[in-house]
Amino acid sequence: EIVLTQSPATLSLSPGERATLSCRASQSVASYLAWYQQRPGQAPRLLIYDASNRATGVPARFSGSGSGTDFTLTISSLDSEDFAVYYCQQRSDWPLTFGGGTKVEIK
Amino acid sequence: EVQLLESGGGLVQPGGSLRLSCATSGFSFSSYSMTWVRQAPGKGLEWVSALSGTGSGTYYADSVKGRFTISRDNSKNMLYLEMNSLRAEDTAVYYCAKNMRSSSSSCDYWGQGTLVTVSS
């Protein structure tokens, strides 16, 4: 199965700062990668699909890039509601897999 | 408004069975694939199973293959997950989710989850 490795595990930043999250795949997933946000006690929320497409209603400060094995989620200026855990997921091959997550916490 | 509501979770003994249900509304249910994802306490997300809109295509994680069965009733807008031979490691919150298109596509709507606890 395709293993997704997210880094860093934890990112400590202040509101207004830029966040850069990484997801690396064990083999190419082309552009078939999504990013989800999960706030404490809530269900996951789709942010980005197919590497760079923002889902409906997602603010423009969220952007995704990459292809093949290396992907990045960027939050241009952190809002208080953005402190959460972020997961990447590949849909290139079965079984679908998630990365281990990156927690973005308030510094 | 798209809504997904899971039910059927609870405490079950190892080796036991449980059936999860997901009631849906607000979209053309039969036109979309559906997915189950789980999350063990304090852990990350784990994809469990997916099912095509017609019900003809089913996909499972290796960890549940042969023990779990995904199904749907398009006349009732319902998704199910039949879980047999449950193990302690199946303890998790189970989410149902709507796929954007095919069974492998991203999940754009999620329920709030139902907790399954496998323990003696």
Side-chain angles (χ1 to χ4, degrees):
Chain A
E1 71 177 41
I2 297 175
V3 176
L4 299 179
T5 302
Q6 292 188 240
S7 62
T10 304
L11 199 52
S12 299
L13 295 168
S14 301
E17 288 194 296
R18 182 185 189 89
T20 304
L21 288 67
S22 173
C23 177
R24 177 164 290 178
S26 59
Q27 64 189 73
S28 177
V29 299
S31 294
Y32 298 128
L33 190 106
W35 291 93
Y36 295 88
Q37 176 194 66
Q38 188 177 34
R39 297 177 179 132
Q42 295 188 16
R45 170 197 180 195
L46 178 65
L47 296 176
I48 302 288
Y49 64 94
D50 292 348
S52 61
N53 298 285
R54 268 191 305 277
T56 302
V58 174
R61 63 181 181 272
F62 291 92
S63 63
S65 63
S67 65
T69 61
D70 290 295
F71 299 86
T72 300
L73 173 69
T74 301
I75 310 171
S76 60
S77 178
L78 282 165
D79 188 273
S80 57
E81 63 184 15
D82 300 336
F83 292 95
V85 180
Y86 294 82
Y87 296 94
C88 57
Q89 185 202 23
Q90 65 82 21
R91 69 177 192 91
S92 174
D93 195 16
W94 303 103
L96 307 189
T97 50
F98 286 93
T102 290
K103 181 180 181 179
V104 178
E105 64 176 23
I106 299 176
K107 186 174 181 179
Chain B
E1 180 190 7
V2 173
Q3 293 191 336
L4 306 172
L5 183 63
E6 304 93 338
S7 62
L11 176 63
V12 60
Q13 292 189 337
S17 299
L18 212 55
R19 188 198 200 198
L20 304 184
S21 299
C22 176
T24 76
S25 62
F27 64 103
S28 179
F29 181 68
S30 61
S31 298
Y32 293 91
S33 296
M34 297 293 293
T35 288
W36 288 98
V37 172
R38 69 184 180 183
Q39 186 170 35
K43 303 298 184 182
L45 301 174
E46 181 186 11
W47 177 84
V48 173
S49 182
L51 178 64
S52 64
T54 61
S56 61
T58 58
Y59 308 87
Y60 296 97
D62 289 344
S63 58
V64 307
K65 198 174 295 183
R67 299 187 300 123
F68 289 13
T69 302
I70 190 172
S71 63
R72 63 194 296 159
D73 185 338
N74 287 345
S75 68
K76 296 181 179 179
N77 296 338
M78 294 289 295
L79 177 72
Y80 304 102
L81 187 67
E82 187 77 36
M83 304 185 295
N84 298 317
S85 303
L86 283 162
R87 308 165 180 167
E89 54 265 35
D90 296 318
T91 294
V93 173
Y94 285 74
Y95 296 100
C96 74
K98 169 189 167 292
N99 292 85
M100 294 181 71
R101 294 177 295 277
S102 67
S103 296
S104 65
S105 62
S106 301
C107 295
D108 56 353
Y109 289 93
W110 296 64
Q112 284 305 302
T114 186
L115 176 63
V116 172
T117 303
V118 184
S119 175
S120 55

